[in-house]
Amino acid sequence: MMWKIMLPVIAAVLSVGSAALVGGWRDISNDDEGMRSALNSAVVEHNRRSNDMYLSQVSEVVKAQSQVVSGIRYRITVRMGKTPCRKGSVSEVCAVHQDPEQAQVHLCTFTMWSQPWLSRMELVKQEC
């Protein structure tokens, strides 16, 4: 008889405990349009700040998350590698080198802040 009372109580406690924290980070799809836009901006800024002669490109999205703040913050972890394209070359789409030694693939996490109503996208943090 006691289990009839305790089972709903335990279920309620577990469901509340597993809910996402309001305003906290949540996983999003790699196909999310806002995330894709944030990632493109992050890669452009990464290449702009880099001292490398060659452009880097994303080879794989490892994890994508978003957080609602005064806008949306995106935290995107990617594998990046070097391309054969030099910085400042004609706007061409370049793939990462096939040879792992030339690609020098590394892990980067970008935190981007988006305020679409202001057409604002800012790189807040970059860890490579």
Side-chain angles (χ1 to χ4, degrees), residues 23-75:
W25 289 101
R26 67 178 184 87
D27 291 343
I28 57 175
S29 166
N30 290 349
D31 296 326
D32 182 272
E33 189 176 320
M35 185 280 295
R36 283 285 168 191
S37 177
L39 179 57
N40 289 337
S41 295
V43 170
V44 167
E45 190 62 30
H46 169 78
N47 282 318
R48 187 176 295 136
R49 293 179 182 187
S50 165
N51 290 328
D52 201 323
M53 289 182 6
Y54 295 94
L55 295 173
S56 292
Q57 199 59 259
V58 173
S59 62
E60 177 190 6
V61 176
V62 177
K63 186 173 187 174
Q65 296 179 304
S66 68
Q67 179 184 39
V68 176
V69 290
S70 58
I72 301 174
R73 227 176 359 178
Y74 295 96
R75 184 167 49 199

Side-chain angles (χ1 to χ4, degrees), residues 6-118:
M6 292 304 292
L7 189 59
V9 171
I10 291 172
V13 168
L14 290 177
S15 68
V16 169
S18 66
L21 180 64
V22 175
W25 289 101
R26 67 178 184 87
D27 291 343
I28 57 175
S29 166
N30 290 349
D31 296 326
D32 182 272
E33 189 176 320
M35 185 280 295
R36 283 285 168 191
S37 177
L39 179 57
N40 289 337
S41 295
V43 170
V44 167
E45 190 62 30
H46 169 78
N47 282 318
R48 187 176 295 136
R49 293 179 182 187
S50 165
N51 290 328
D52 201 323
M53 289 182 6
Y54 295 94
L55 295 173
S56 292
Q57 199 59 259
V58 173
S59 62
E60 177 190 6
V61 176
V62 177
K63 186 173 187 174
Q65 296 179 304
S66 68
Q67 179 184 39
V68 176
V69 290
S70 58
I72 301 174
R73 227 176 359 178
Y74 295 96
R75 184 167 49 199
I76 310 161
T77 302
V78 295
R79 284 194 174 77
M80 294 191 71
K82 290 185 182 182
T83 70
C85 297
R86 287 179 171 265
K87 282 186 178 178
S89 62
V90 181
S91 298
E92 49 185 295
V93 177
C94 292
V96 174
H97 278 288
Q98 294 298 316
D99 177 15
E101 190 172 308
Q102 287 183 321
Q104 299 177 8
V105 176
H106 56 281
L107 205 62
C108 288
T109 299
F110 300 110
T111 302
M112 298 293 292
W113 178 33
S114 171
Q115 291 181 308
W117 62 92
L118 296 175

